[in-house]
């Protein structure tokens, strides 16, 4: 196996994604996403790219597809890691979308990690097992609370050069822990030692200075800013008048 080398070029390393010319459209997931058209193209211009959108819009699917292009397993982990047996899986992975995409790199950097919150424990157990079988010390991310394990993992991994794909990393993090991750993401954005592509619902994590914020819409990926996202406006509305917000939410009249 050819050993990858570090580069002196700053992130982002993955520069562009677009749809292959020879793709045959299929009426099934993930090829039926409304934004997957002949015009689909994303350019990465900053070390940190943040993808936001409602559930079901395909933001996690895109992250899974990029992870597959990097050679990461759909359950998460680094290149060459196979933490789960997918042979009996019933769910469909967005990783299949990678077959329809082309990617432009400068340079090609595939060291890194795909972090998927829902399978983090399985990946952490796999890391412990691999370490013990090779005679080393287990990383032991599972001896900490869920959120503490996440932060410890992020702090250890993302300080290294590479590309890191994060799918909803806030899922087990309190607001205070999200601020810790925010600081780490800001360090990466400033140093440009790594590239991070993150899908999130957290307005706190969307607020990293200098990061590029893309919102998924049926028409494609539109550049936006924190104050214009539906996520921020919803939280702002709640904080301004919680009693009125809850009354309208319980009425379910579509006003939120």
């Amino acid at each position: 196996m050819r050993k990858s080398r570090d580069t002196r070029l700053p992130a982002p390393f993955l520069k562009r994604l677009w749809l292959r010319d020879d793709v045959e459209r299929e009426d099934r997931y993930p090829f039926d996403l409304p934004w997957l058209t002949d015009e689909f193209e994303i350019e990465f211009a900053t070390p940190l790219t943040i993808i936001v959108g409602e559930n079901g819009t395909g933001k996690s699917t895109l992250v899974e597809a990029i992870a597959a292009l990097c050679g990461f397993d759909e359950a998460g982990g680094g290149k060459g890691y196979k933490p789960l047996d997918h042979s009996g899986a019933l769910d469909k992975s967005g990783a299949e979308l990678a077959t329809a995409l082309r990617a432009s790199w400068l340079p090609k950097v595939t060291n890194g990690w795909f972090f998927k919150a829902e399978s983090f424990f399985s990946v952490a157990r796999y890391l412990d097992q691999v370490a013990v079988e090779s005679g080393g010390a287990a990383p032991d991310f599972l001896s900490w609370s869920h959120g503490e394990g996440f932060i410890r993992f992020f702090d250890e991994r993302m300080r290294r050069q590479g590309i890191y794909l994060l799918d909803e990393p806030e899922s087990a993090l309190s607001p205070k822990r999200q601020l810790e991750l925010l600081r780490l993401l800001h360090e990466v954005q400033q140093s440009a030692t790594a590239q991070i592509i993150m899908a999130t619902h957290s307005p706190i994590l969307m607020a990293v200075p200098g990061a590029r914020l893309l919102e998924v819409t049926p028409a494609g990926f539109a550049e936006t800013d924190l104050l214009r996202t539906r996520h921020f406006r919803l939280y702002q509305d709640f904080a301004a008048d919680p009693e009125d917000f809850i009354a309208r939410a319980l009425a379910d009249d579509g006003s939120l």
Side-chain angles (χ1 to χ4, degrees):
M1 178 183 294
R2 183 180 177 183
K3 187 177 181 180
S4 59
R5 297 178 179 178
D6 287 348
T7 175
R8 294 185 179 181
L9 293 176
F13 311 119
L14 174 61
K15 297 294 186 181
R16 188 166 66 99
L17 281 180
W18 69 98
L19 193 68
R20 290 174 45 176
D21 294 333
D22 57 349
V23 170
E24 293 185 10
R25 299 303 168 79
E26 299 180 59
D27 188 22
R28 65 180 180 88
Y29 176 82
F31 303 102
D32 58 355
L33 290 165
W35 45 261
L36 193 64
T37 66
D38 290 338
E39 289 73 37
F40 170 78
E41 181 178 347
I42 297 179
E43 292 190 359
F44 299 93
T46 54
L48 173 58
T49 303
I50 302 171
I51 302 172
V52 304
E54 293 299 321
N55 290 331
T57 54
K59 63 185 185 304
S60 293
T61 298
L62 179 65
V63 173
E64 289 175 351
I66 297 172
L69 287 171
C70 294
F72 303 155
D73 187 74
E74 62 191 76
K79 194 168 185 178
Y81 284 62
K82 295 292 181 183
L84 294 178
D85 179 6
H86 304 289
S87 59
L90 298 178
D91 61 316
K92 297 294 184 182
S93 169
E96 190 177 359
L97 179 62
T99 62
L101 302 178
R102 291 197 182 278
S104 173
W105 299 79
L106 187 64
K108 182 71 178 288
V109 172
T110 55
N111 290 329
W113 203 267
F114 174 31
F115 177 86
K116 196 171 183 178
E118 62 195 56
S119 57
F120 173 73
F121 282 137
S122 297
V123 175
R125 291 190 187 95
Y126 174 82
L127 290 176
D128 286 348
Q129 179 183 348
V130 169
V132 170
E133 290 177 352
S134 63
D140 194 20
F141 295 110
L142 301 179
S143 293
W144 305 68
S145 74
H146 204 167
E148 288 173 324
F150 275 31
I151 290 296
R152 182 168 174 259
F153 178 84
F154 295 142
D155 188 60
E156 177 187 311
R157 298 281 164 170
M158 292 195 304
R159 296 186 185 280
R160 310 172 188 176
Q161 187 177 83
I163 182 167
Y164 298 89
L165 298 312
L166 310 182
D167 186 16
E168 300 181 11
E170 74 278 6
S171 62
L173 301 180
S174 69
K176 183 178 179 181
R177 293 295 186 190
Q178 290 182 42
L179 288 173
E180 291 182 42
L181 180 54
L182 173 78
R183 286 191 286 271
L184 177 57
L185 294 171
H186 181 51
E187 288 178 21
V188 174
Q189 170 66 22
Q190 287 189 308
S191 67
T193 54
Q195 180 175 8
I196 298 175
I197 301 171
M198 174 178 67
T200 184
H201 292 293
S202 167
I204 292 177
L205 298 184
M206 294 176 197
V208 179
R212 188 178 186 213
L213 202 58
L214 297 177
E215 186 167 17
V216 187
T217 71
F221 290 77
E223 191 159 1
T224 187
D225 59 62
L226 173 66
L227 302 186
R228 286 190 291 159
T229 63
R230 176 171 172 79
H231 300 74
F232 176 82
R233 296 199 306 270
L234 200 67
Y235 278 88
Q236 184 181 47
D237 194 9
F238 171 77
D241 191 341
E243 187 174 340
D244 176 68
F245 180 93
I246 296 301
R248 285 184 285 127
L250 294 177
D252 193 25
D253 58 2
S255 60
L256 294 180

